[in-house]
Amino acid sequence: MSSEVLKVDDLTCGYGDRPVLKGLSFSVEDGELLGVIGPNGSGKTTLVRALTKILEPMDGRILLEGRDIKEMDLSELARRIAVVSQNPEGGSWMTVEEFVLLGRVPHRRKFQLLETKHDEEVAERAMALTGTLGLKGRLLKELSGGERQLVSIAKALCQEPKLLLLDEPTAHLDIAHQVRVLDLIKKLNRDDGLTAITVLHDLNLAGEYCDRLLLLKDGKLCRTGLPEEVLDPRVIEDAYGVKVVVGRNPASSKPYVFPIPNAK
Ligand SMILES: Nc1ncnc2c1ncn2[C@@H]1O[C@H](COP(=O)(O)OP(=O)(O)O)[C@@H](O)[C@H]1O
Ligand SMILES: [Mg+2]
């Protein structure tokens, strides 16, 4: 049996009649942590939108566990894919617990309005895993950016997805919160076998945490492979148009990209 969770097959997708992603193909294996990188405007968020059916493919297919997502309704899709978006918004008047419980909505049966004991247990576990249980009675609007991001991850986990998608989950966070969020994703991936795709614009964090990277340029696949294969000076120079040297993080031996300033 194939252990492929996701297969993106010759996907072309965009806005109006303008394609952004052009003939993109890749797949994700069960248990993989894939990092998507690429310059601003290269189509990373557009890919997340296509995977969640916010955008319809102009061409090509997206298969989730072998089935075309166009045959799934949104609630079926939400039982399989959960998203942590770039700027989580909405729900600011809710408590953390109420917000996290929204993750159970796709699992509710028809006409079921209230959450069950099981829903509450799943939410509790998601908050415990993300270290947000202590915040459960707090209003979302009273949280810091870092806390809010952890709560967004708790809500996504509460969906019990097969695949977790994150769009720049560490944007606007300080270094301590960046590490906390990515350590959490790594731990869920390693210990619970959660398959995840995360868009990251920080190349060094991407190289540090992900099993494999996928580099987009102008909506096309520029390179995919191990972090050391993608974070290659020539590849980065070609994609980003900036000169870099690549060293190793002395603590982890993972590739580390240093830009070379043009200014003297
Ligand atoms: N809602 C939209 N309507 C029209 N064009 C968009 C929209 N969102 C993004 N784009 C365009 O699509 C391209 C890719 O954007 P995006 O996927 O957000 O890139 P990234 O996340 O890699 O920075 C950009 O040229 C952007 O201007
Ligand atoms: Mg983006």
Side-chain angles (χ1 to χ4, degrees):
M1 214 180 86
S2 157
S3 61
E4 202 169 73
V5 171
L6 177 75
K7 186 177 174 70
V8 171
D9 183 19
D10 204 17
L11 175 68
T12 295
C13 180
Y15 305 91
D17 55 8
R18 184 183 151 241
V20 169
L21 300 174
K22 299 152 197 148
L24 183 65
S25 296
F26 67 95
S27 48
V28 179
E29 297 287 311
D30 197 10
E32 220 183 348
L33 175 51
L34 176 73
V36 177
I37 55 175
N40 290 337
S42 57
K44 303 179 297 297
T45 295
T46 302
L47 174 61
V48 171
R49 291 188 185 131
L51 296 177
T52 49
K53 277 180 81 159
I54 293 173
L55 289 175
E56 223 177 278
M58 295 168 173
D59 207 353
R61 297 179 311 162
I62 298 169
L63 304 179
L64 191 59
E65 296 184 288
R67 277 185 58 211
D68 196 323
I69 65 167
K70 80 168 186 232
E71 287 154 19
M72 299 180 190
D73 65 29
L74 289 179
S75 109
E76 186 180 2
L77 189 66
R79 290 193 292 272
R80 293 180 163 79
I81 296 189
V83 192
V84 175
S85 57
Q86 207 162 349
N87 296 306
E89 48 189 48
S92 55
W93 43 272
M94 285 185 187
T95 66
V96 166
E97 186 178 30
E98 285 164 344
F99 183 71
V100 172
L101 270 166
L102 286 180
R104 298 309 297 162
V105 171
H107 291 274
R108 286 199 191 149
R109 285 190 301 274
K110 227 176 174 179
F111 307 120
Q112 182 195 336
L113 294 177
L114 295 174
E115 50 268 1
T116 62
K117 187 93 194 113
H118 176 68
D119 291 334
E120 280 166 11
E121 284 163 9
V122 176
E124 190 99 352
R125 179 161 183 272
M127 287 186 282
L129 277 171
T130 51
T132 57
L133 208 45
L135 301 173
K136 80 181 201 183
R138 296 264 299 274
L139 289 179
L140 227 51
K141 66 179 180 193
E142 292 166 356
L143 302 183
S144 72
E147 290 168 336
R148 212 180 151 90
Q149 197 56 288
L150 292 169
V151 167
S152 297
I153 296 172
K155 173 171 170 275
L157 293 178
C158 197
Q159 275 171 249
E160 299 189 299
K162 182 69 209 166
L163 176 64
L164 179 64
L165 282 181
L166 304 110
D167 193 357
E168 298 199 14
T170 56
H172 317 301
L173 300 185
D174 67 37
I175 192 166
H177 284 88
Q178 289 178 356
V179 167
R180 185 159 172 207
V181 164
L182 291 172
D183 275 350
L184 170 64
I185 307 300
K186 187 82 189 169
K187 181 173 177 298
L188 294 166
N189 170 258
R190 211 175 30 208
D191 300 352
D192 301 345
L194 181 70
T195 309
I197 302 178
T198 180
V199 173
L200 288 167
H201 76 204
D202 187 312
L203 301 177
N204 297 323
L205 289 175
E208 189 65 50
Y209 282 94
C210 299
D211 301 327
R212 183 162 65 95
L213 299 181
L214 187 149
L215 171 61
L216 289 179
K217 183 192 175 191
D218 296 332
K220 293 189 187 139
L221 182 82
C222 180
R223 174 77 72 102
T224 184
L226 296 172
E228 47 271 40
E229 292 167 337
V230 178
L231 300 181
D232 171 272
R234 267 164 306 180
V235 175
I236 296 304
E237 200 172 311
D238 172 49
Y240 290 85
V242 61
K243 286 211 177 308
V244 299
V245 284
V246 177
R248 295 272 172 173
N249 180 334
S252 65
S253 303
K254 296 283 188 176
Y256 205 93
V257 179
F258 300 89
I260 303 174
N262 289 314
K264 291 270 180 330

